[in-house]
Amino acid sequence: MSSLKCLSQLRGAWRWRRVEVSLYPATGFHCRTFCSTTSGPESIEIHKRKLFLWFSHLPREEKLFCGYFSPETMHVDPLILERKAEEKAGLLSSVLQTQPPSCPSVTVEQLFDPTDAWRDGRGLNVLLYGAVGTGKSTVVRKLVLDWCTGTTLSHFKLLVPFSCEDLGQLSKVASLRDLVSRKYLHLRKHPLLSGEGNQAKDVLFVFNGMEKMKLDFRIGATELCSDPNEALPAYVVVVNLLRKYLLPEASILVTTRLSALDRIPQKYVSRYAQICGFTDPERQRAYFTSRLLQQGGETACNHEAQSVIELLYLNLQRQSQLATACFLPSYCWLTCATLHFLHFTGAKEPIRTLTGIYTSFLRLNFGGEVLGTGTGTNVPIQEHQSSLMLYVVRTVGKLAFDGVTYKRTSFSEKELEQWIGGKTKTDEELHQLAMFRTDVLDFFLAPSVESVKHLAEDPSESDQRRYVFAVPAMQEYLAALYVVLGENKSALEKLTSQVSEVIGQTSEDVNALINILSKFIPLRIFAVFNLLKLFPKLFEKISSLNKGSIARTMAAEMFRTEDSYNEDVLDQVEKSLLGVHGPQPQQYSKGQPFELYPIFMGGLLHYGNRVLLQQLGCSIQSTTVAKITHVLRKYLVRELSKPQPPEELMDLLVLLYEFQNPRLTAEVLASIRTIRLTNIRMTPRKCFVLSSVLSCSPASYHLEELDLSSCLLTHEMLQMLWPAFRHTHNLNLQFNSLGPESCILLRDLLLDPKSSIKSLKLCDNPLLESGGCTLLEVLPENQSLTHLSLMHTGLGDQGALKLAERLQQHMGLQELNVAYNNIGDNAALTLVDACREHPSIHTVHLYLNPLSDVGKQTLYVRGVPKTQSGLRVKVLASVTEGSDISENWHPILDVIRENASSWDRQRVKQQLQVFLQDLEWGRRQQQSFWKRLHFRRVEKGVRQTLHMLEKDTLPPST
């Protein structure tokens, strides 16, 4: 309560002050100068308020969670272990290990308890290190926020955080006090930093990301300094602080990666501490709970979130590969972001894509990261660096691409050696490779859980250790990035590119020279120089062919025949995170399917993702995107001319959604007239995808049919599908969970002037009488509806009578299906009479209703028009019509066979028995042998259906 009170006071006191704040990037923190100058206790309070505001700002990647989170609610402390100096050499192995820690965990506050290793009066130097993604920057952020609110390290009166990336970019010399005042102007003249007496004992300096600075502790390279007012290069000031020549009483916290551990000599480190992430499922569960249980405070969302967490926790307890990946908090973040994307989708939320989540994930961990070459210690590190992400693509991405090409998800140590650094030769390349292996490689690749279990059973086969990508989708993402960036070029293409660039640059200088000399020498001599212009054009031709091959690869991978009947790609992603609970789904493809691979390729071409990749040092040119898109449209249209199963159509919709290219989407949709997603397990995200894609089409575009039968639709999903419904003529919503409240939305849809629905199928939805009556309110005003199917919706007699009253107010209706609705003789007769008076209705379905024999015969007679010019109404009440076989007996039996598995079995059996009685009576009335034979044939069909129902061998509902 005291911390909350202090936090409230800090916020309240700061309302009247103006502050300039900058969002800190993913890999460190940067700040702008804070603008006020005071001294003493007041300046400390100002410092706390401004630091709190600054560090409370979350990275923009957190917007993926729709802004429901704050640092106070979502933080879970990772495991921190204190290490001895002699232990650190053996700590460079992967943090992805399953054995429990050998020493107790500590907190950052405990690391600053006094130690005997240092004399009284000297501050502590604590080195906190860990691999990429273990949460170093997050721990620092939480530490600063807690200090601001007085809940930790309260014995330090002043905490001064620095970003080593910022300090490494400074080119001018500056004193310690200048460095502080550049960031925190209000601390310019603070006495704690004066160096007088032992006042500095109340100061804690925090240097985050020390691997981004070049520190040299040699006396000959870095002069000694004890004056906080002496101007020196930034790295010299930091070195003297660590040496305890400058403000020796001050304490220092340094965070760094594994590869930079030895940059600070052991004698200058009081304590080593390793941050190990979430090494047990309970920490992981706490993290997931803190994020997924805060979906806007709605009870329904929290209930679903709790279910998701339980399934996720069960998967983690199985020691799955995901549990190994989630040792790193970064992968916990990725898991939460993906589950949030899949399960918590609002109709009005901003566009979020799966590719965008993975791109943001990499920017969060590698934004601005570079791979140093180690050339010199007194030269700014930025001058000798290359993009770390681009290095990842060229090494790990190449490995991922090889795995996708040959359908492999695990790799041996020899293969890792071959693909990652196998061709390095120079000292510079070897240095980069060493840093990469130490800091980054374990972030992407982890020991296979299956191979670890196998080695535990048989240690002699140590050469059989296999490695997999920490998250399976990451392999497909990196393989897609490798292809889209053009890194899979052939040797000829690479050579052509290099030669073209050289000749292209040379030709500009030669052309200038030709323009001068052409006045004195015949131009015929200079014809040979035109060859210089030919080679760049040849390269451009080869390059365009390469872009076309990328589009062909996307289309080919998208419509692989062996993957056609696998689950749709979003279900595959969900199962990779939550596991499979129950029977394993049938897998039709022989090897591992990589169906996200082409979808990621499309998503990476989206402008928003290209901007993020540009920040990571991976550039995708707009001309490249245009060429790929032009060829891709042609191949997609060609594939869509063939019949595609529902799973493939759903994957195509996801591809178009990830691409976020309205023009391409509209051109592809122009070739699609029917979308059948039967039996696809629709979720809010899939509904959002379908609506977003169809919204890209022009208002004049309409589907002939949109089939969403047996898709587990709910009322909330219907609201998200509203834009899609406007673009369809025939809407099939059979076999879903739509209740009376859904009829209000469907009524409004049919009344919408922009809607042109001609056929609406609502069979097997519990609409009930109230829902049916609500839906019938549209009949007076809607004139587009021609076919209405309300079979097995619980209308009852009152619903049928209400329908009979409304029919004359709608002149366009042609066919009406109210079968299996518990409609009796009187209501059925009234309805048929109304249909007979209707100018356009020609068919009424009334089978499977409790009709008497007299009622059926009367219905058949009533269907005959009163006058010769009237329209005959075909009444389907049984497989017989009086003493004759109904010409529609076969469709009636087909409907029963298809749907009986989801209907009341006993009720269906009774109706089939009634059919047999009708057939037997009709057969006895016949004199013709051929007619009796025809009755026998129909009886056989009914008996087969009855037998299948009794033996439970009917096919599932379709």
Side-chain angles (χ1 to χ4, degrees):
M1 292 298 294
S2 62
S3 63
L4 292 175
K5 182 178 179 181
C6 181
L7 176 59
S8 177
Q9 292 173 348
L10 283 173
R11 287 173 170 167
W14 180 239
R15 288 174 185 168
W16 60 274
R17 295 184 179 267
R18 181 178 181 272
V19 65
E20 192 174 358
V21 183
S22 171
L23 291 180
Y24 53 87
T27 56
F29 43 84
H30 305 269
C31 60
R32 298 179 184 174
T33 301
F34 293 127
C35 307
S36 62
T37 57
T38 53
S39 61
E42 183 183 353
S43 62
I44 297 293
E45 293 304 314
I46 293 174
H47 184 62
K48 286 184 177 182
R49 289 193 293 268
K50 293 184 176 181
L51 275 186
F52 184 86
L53 286 177
W54 172 28
F55 278 83
S56 294
H57 283 76
L58 298 176
R60 60 184 172 186
E61 283 76 11
E62 296 295 348
K63 293 181 181 178
L64 296 171
F65 296 94
C66 301
Y68 292 137
F69 308 103
S70 62
E72 299 88 356
T73 59
M74 70 182 186
H75 181 79
V76 176
D77 290 321
L79 178 67
I80 300 177
L81 301 177
E82 184 173 4
R83 300 293 192 181
K84 298 179 180 178
E86 57 272 14
E87 289 179 328
K88 67 182 178 66
L91 301 177
L92 302 183
S93 60
S94 171
V95 298
L96 304 179
Q97 49 191 344
T98 56
Q99 61 267 27
S102 56
C103 49
S105 63
V106 295
T107 64
V108 177
E109 187 172 18
Q110 291 172 338
L111 293 174
F112 286 94
D113 292 339
T115 174
D116 296 335
W118 287 75
R119 296 188 301 272
D120 292 337
R122 302 185 68 177
L124 298 178
N125 289 351
V126 176
L127 182 58
L128 179 65
Y129 64 94
V132 176
T134 49
K136 299 182 295 297
S137 295
T138 304
V139 167
V140 169
R141 180 180 63 195
K142 186 63 167 55
L143 174 69
V144 174
L145 289 174
D146 288 346
W147 178 80
C148 291
T149 57
T151 56
T152 190
L153 296 176
S154 55
H155 56 281
F156 290 111
K157 295 180 181 179
L158 180 61
L159 186 148
V160 185
F162 282 104
S163 164
C164 291
E165 184 175 359
D166 275 352
L167 295 177
Q169 293 174 348
L170 295 178
S171 57
K172 296 181 179 179
V173 296
S175 67
L176 173 61
R177 302 195 75 166
D178 289 338
L179 290 177
V180 173
S181 62
R182 282 170 63 94
K183 303 299 181 183
Y184 316 103
L185 189 59
H186 49 274
L187 299 178
R188 174 187 292 273
K189 299 180 181 180
H190 201 281
L192 293 179
L193 301 174
S194 64
E196 299 176 359
N198 63 348
Q199 295 184 85
K201 64 182 176 59
D202 296 324
V203 179
L204 173 62
F205 290 100
V206 178
F207 295 99
N208 189 44
M210 190 267 292
E211 70 277 358
K212 298 171 185 174
M213 287 189 73
K214 290 293 186 180
L215 303 182
D216 192 344
F217 283 81
R218 296 174 299 174
I219 297 295
T222 307
E223 61 183 287
L224 299 178
C225 171
S226 60
D227 184 1
N229 296 304
E230 183 178 353
L232 294 168
Y235 76 93
V236 177
V237 174
V238 175
V239 166
N240 279 285
L241 280 172
L242 291 169
R243 283 172 172 168
K244 296 303 178 185
Y245 273 87
L246 182 60
L247 300 186
E249 301 85 6
S251 295
I252 301 173
L253 173 65
V254 177
T255 68
T256 187
R257 292 183 180 171
L258 299 175
S259 62
L261 267 179
D262 293 330
R263 291 189 186 175
I264 301 179
Q266 179 180 328
K267 62 181 180 179
Y268 298 128
V269 179
S270 313
R271 281 176 171 164
Y272 289 95
Q274 183 183 16
I275 182 168
C276 302
F278 301 148
T279 55
D280 61 275
E282 292 304 325
R283 290 179 190 266
Q284 297 168 3
R285 183 174 188 173
Y287 184 91
F288 297 136
T289 301
S290 69
R291 284 181 172 266
L292 295 178
L293 274 184
Q294 300 185 49
Q295 307 307 320
E298 297 181 10
T299 304
C301 286
N302 276 335
H303 179 73
E304 181 180 0
Q306 190 63 55
S307 300
V308 169
I309 292 171
E310 290 300 326
L311 293 175
L312 183 59
Y313 184 64
L314 287 174
N315 194 27
L316 296 174
Q317 285 183 315
R318 295 173 183 161
Q319 294 186 347
S320 62
Q321 197 67 51
L322 178 65
T324 303
C326 286
F327 284 177
L328 293 177
S330 288
Y331 278 104
C332 291
W333 182 93
L334 179 62
T335 300
C336 284
T338 306
L339 288 175
H340 193 277
F341 170 81
L342 294 174
H343 284 272
F344 307 107
T345 305
K348 298 181 179 180
E349 73 166 22
I351 294 293
R352 292 183 295 145
T353 65
L354 194 61
T355 313
I357 288 175
Y358 275 77
T359 307
S360 297
F361 170 72
L362 293 178
R363 202 202 76 88
L364 192 65
N365 289 278
F366 298 101
E369 291 286 340
V370 289
L371 198 62
T373 62
T375 57
T377 57
N378 55 354
V379 180
I381 190 171
Q382 289 75 18
E383 296 182 10
H384 298 282
Q385 294 174 328
S386 58
S387 166
L388 177 57
M389 194 63 229
L390 190 58
Y391 192 88
V392 169
V393 173
R394 290 172 176 171
T395 53
V396 184
K398 189 175 184 180
L399 175 71
F401 175 73
D402 181 74
V404 169
T405 303
Y406 297 102
K407 305 300 177 187
R408 296 186 302 125
T409 57
S410 64
F411 309 90
S412 66
E413 292 184 346
K414 291 183 179 179
E415 289 171 327
L416 295 187
E417 182 68 29
Q418 172 189 355
W419 291 108
I420 302 175
K423 297 181 180 180
T424 54
K425 297 179 181 180
T426 66
D427 290 342
E428 179 180 309
E429 291 174 334
L430 290 174
H431 178 77
Q432 287 185 337
L433 178 62
M435 292 179 61
F436 180 77
R437 284 182 174 274
T438 303
D439 289 339
V440 182
L441 186 59
D442 288 334
F443 181 82
F444 292 101
L445 294 166
S448 168
V449 171
E450 296 299 326
S451 70
V452 170
K453 292 178 181 178
H454 182 69
L455 287 175
E457 298 172 358
D458 188 2
S460 61
E461 299 185 6
S462 58
D463 58 336
Q464 297 300 317
R465 180 182 291 274
R466 309 286 295 181
Y467 293 85
V468 298
F469 281 84
V471 174
M474 184 58 72
Q475 178 179 356
E476 299 179 72
Y477 178 90
L478 290 177
L481 186 56
Y482 180 77
V483 172
V484 171
L485 288 177
E487 294 295 331
N488 63 328
K489 295 176 182 176
S490 64
L492 173 62
E493 289 171 334
K494 292 180 180 178
L495 178 63
T496 307
S497 175
Q498 295 169 359
V499 174
S500 173
E501 183 178 356
V502 173
I503 293 182
Q505 294 173 354
T506 305
S507 64
E508 295 178 3
D509 299 331
V510 173
N511 283 336
L513 182 62
I514 291 174
N515 291 332
I516 298 174
L517 298 180
S518 60
K519 299 180 180 180
F520 308 101
I521 302 177
L523 290 175
R524 190 178 302 173
I525 298 176
F526 294 99
V528 67
F529 290 106
N530 288 328
L531 293 175
L532 294 174
K533 300 179 181 179
L534 176 62
F535 204 92
K537 294 181 180 179
L538 177 62
F539 163 69
E540 184 178 351
K541 182 67 175 177
I542 296 176
S543 177
S544 64
L545 292 176
N546 180 54
K547 306 302 184 297
S549 68
I550 294 176
R552 286 192 297 273
T553 300
M554 291 175 64
E557 292 291 335
M558 192 71 206
F559 298 101
R560 290 175 60 90
T561 305
E562 58 268 33
D563 296 337
S564 295
Y565 293 94
N566 291 337
E567 291 181 297
D568 66 84
V569 68
L570 294 182
D571 278 355
Q572 292 179 35
V573 172
E574 182 184 56
K575 283 188 168 64
S576 71
L577 299 178
L578 301 182
V580 179
H581 303 272
Q584 286 281 348
Q586 184 175 358
Q587 190 73 30
Y588 294 91
S589 55
K590 295 181 181 179
Q592 170 71 28
F594 290 100
E595 297 185 65
L596 265 177
Y597 170 52
I599 291 175
F600 277 144
M601 290 174 69
L604 287 169
L605 300 179
H606 171 46
Y607 176 75
N609 290 321
R610 288 191 285 127
V611 170
L612 293 179
L613 289 172
Q614 183 71 39
Q615 297 173 12
L616 291 168
C618 301
S619 178
I620 303 175
Q621 300 298 325
S622 297
T623 53
T624 300
V625 176
K627 292 175 182 178
I628 294 175
T629 302
H630 175 73
V631 180
L632 178 63
R633 182 193 62 81
K634 178 177 65 175
Y635 282 102
L636 289 180
V637 171
R638 179 185 302 175
E639 291 294 335
L640 288 172
S641 64
K642 310 170 188 175
Q644 299 293 341
E647 293 79 7
E648 287 293 281
L649 280 177
M650 190 69 240
D651 290 349
L652 172 67
L653 293 172
V654 174
L655 171 65
L656 295 175
Y657 173 78
E658 293 283 325
F659 212 129
Q660 290 295 306
N661 186 324
R663 181 176 179 179
L664 172 70
T665 300
E667 291 174 348
V668 173
L669 286 176
S671 64
I672 301 177
R673 288 302 171 190
T674 299
I675 294 181
R676 292 190 176 94
L677 300 178
T678 307
N679 291 322
I680 294 293
R681 184 182 66 90
M682 293 299 286
T683 62
R685 173 55 57 182
K686 294 176 188 176
C687 294
F688 189 83
V689 167
L690 176 58
S691 289
S692 298
V693 170
L694 288 179
S695 296
C696 294
S697 59
S700 59
Y701 171 79
H702 285 91
L703 292 168
E704 285 301 319
E705 181 182 8
L706 176 59
D707 188 349
L708 296 173
S709 57
S710 301
C711 289
L712 303 179
L713 292 177
T714 63
H715 176 68
E716 291 72 21
M717 294 182 194
L718 280 190
Q719 293 176 320
M720 304 182 72
L721 288 168
W722 181 289
F725 293 159
R726 287 179 171 177
H727 290 277
T728 184
H729 289 314
N730 300 311
L731 180 59
N732 188 344
L733 298 175
Q734 299 180 126
F735 307 103
N736 286 294
S737 304
L738 307 178
E741 69 280 0
S742 299
C743 292
I744 300 175
L745 189 144
L746 292 172
R747 177 197 63 190
D748 296 340
L749 174 67
L750 292 173
L751 292 175
D752 188 346
K754 297 180 180 179
S755 173
S756 59
I757 294 177
K758 298 178 180 178
S759 173
L760 179 61
K761 296 180 180 180
L762 293 170
C763 307
D764 279 81
N765 286 292
L767 305 181
L768 305 180
E769 177 188 330
S770 60
C773 292
T774 300
L775 190 62
L776 296 176
E777 294 175 8
V778 307
L779 293 182
E781 299 183 36
N782 176 278
Q783 298 301 322
S784 65
L785 197 63
T786 59
H787 293 74
L788 178 62
S789 179
L790 298 173
M791 180 175 66
H792 197 211
T793 54
L795 280 182
D797 286 343
Q798 294 302 316
L801 293 174
K802 189 74 173 178
L803 178 58
E805 293 177 13
R806 296 277 186 173
L807 278 181
Q808 298 305 321
Q809 299 172 338
H810 189 285
M811 297 295 103
L813 204 60
Q814 299 176 9
E815 185 172 353
L816 183 63
N817 188 343
V818 288
Y820 199 178
N821 267 302
N822 201 29
I823 298 175
D825 288 353
N826 294 332
L829 290 171
T830 304
L831 180 60
V832 171
D833 286 341
C835 292
R836 185 175 57 174
E837 301 297 329
H838 197 276
S840 58
I841 291 182
H842 57 72
T843 305
V844 181
H845 299 254
L846 282 166
Y847 44 87
L848 297 182
N849 282 303
L851 303 172
S852 65
D853 293 339
V854 176
K856 294 176 188 175
Q857 182 64 26
T858 306
L859 287 174
Y860 172 67
V861 175
R862 293 282 183 91
V864 178
K866 294 180 178 179
T867 62
Q868 291 184 354
S869 61
L871 182 67
R872 181 182 185 274
V873 178
K874 189 184 300 181
V875 181
L876 307 182
S878 177
V879 292
T880 61
E881 291 181 356
S883 59
D884 293 327
I885 295 289
S886 171
E887 61 182 10
N888 295 288
W889 70 269
H890 201 281
I892 293 174
L893 287 185
D894 285 344
V895 169
I896 294 175
R897 286 174 184 148
E898 291 173 359
N899 304 311
S901 61
S902 63
W903 287 349
D904 183 352
R905 299 274 177 117
Q906 192 62 34
R907 173 75 177 276
V908 175
K909 288 180 183 179
Q910 292 175 359
Q911 289 297 317
L912 291 175
Q913 294 289 353
V914 172
F915 285 172
L916 289 175
Q917 294 173 8
D918 293 342
L919 289 168
E920 185 177 356
W921 180 83
R923 176 167 46 83
R924 290 175 182 173
Q925 310 303 315
Q926 304 301 323
Q927 301 297 324
S928 169
F929 170 78
W930 298 111
K931 284 191 175 183
R932 290 199 300 270
L933 189 63
H934 186 37
F935 269 87
R936 291 284 187 186
R937 178 190 170 198
V938 178
E939 282 186 48
K940 182 180 179 181
V942 176
R943 293 186 188 277
Q944 285 179 344
T945 304
L946 186 61
H947 181 73
M948 294 169 64
L949 191 63
E950 291 174 344
K951 296 296 184 181
D952 199 19
T953 56
L954 283 167
S957 299
T958 60

